[in-house]
Amino acid sequence: MGYSAVFVGIARDVEEHLDSVFAHIRSICEVCDRYKILLFENDSEDETASLLSMNQASDPGNVIFISETGLQQSLPERTERIAHLR
């Protein structure tokens, strides 16, 4: 029986790090028979949401991307937003 992995994360304004993060995750996934990548994003002002969307489009069976816009307005405290997304 092979390996299975699930990667879960939250993201906001992390465009500059996403290429290396996905490269690292995908290198781990190479040894897995099954994997899922679940990412939540909110209110990014850079290209984080579009890059996550592109990664989902390139691997729709394994990458799940959820964007929740307007969260900063309803939950102004950063810790509250992180708890909500978790």
Side-chain angles (χ1 to χ4, degrees):
M1 182 183 238
Y3 295 105
S4 297
V6 176
F7 301 88
V8 180
I10 57 176
R12 180 174 178 199
D13 293 328
V14 294
E15 168 189 10
E16 65 186 68
H17 305 287
L18 285 178
D19 286 341
S20 63
V21 168
F22 268 97
H24 186 70
I25 290 173
R26 293 202 190 283
S27 70
I28 295 169
C29 292
E30 288 179 6
V31 299
C32 296
D33 292 332
R34 298 179 307 159
Y35 68 91
K36 296 289 182 194
I37 303 169
L38 176 59
L39 298 163
F40 295 89
E41 179 276 339
N42 75 286
D43 301 317
S44 290
E45 295 179 2
D46 62 3
E47 294 300 313
T48 296
S50 65
L51 291 173
L52 292 174
S53 182
M54 287 181 356
N55 275 282
Q56 180 180 23
S58 71
D59 192 2
N62 294 307
V63 179
I64 301 162
F65 161 56
I66 299 168
S67 182
E68 193 166 338
T69 58
L71 192 58
Q72 184 174 1
Q73 191 171 26
S74 62
L75 295 171
E77 294 294 323
R78 181 177 182 266
T79 54
E80 289 177 346
R81 288 192 306 274
I82 291 170
H84 172 79
L85 291 170
R86 285 182 177 166

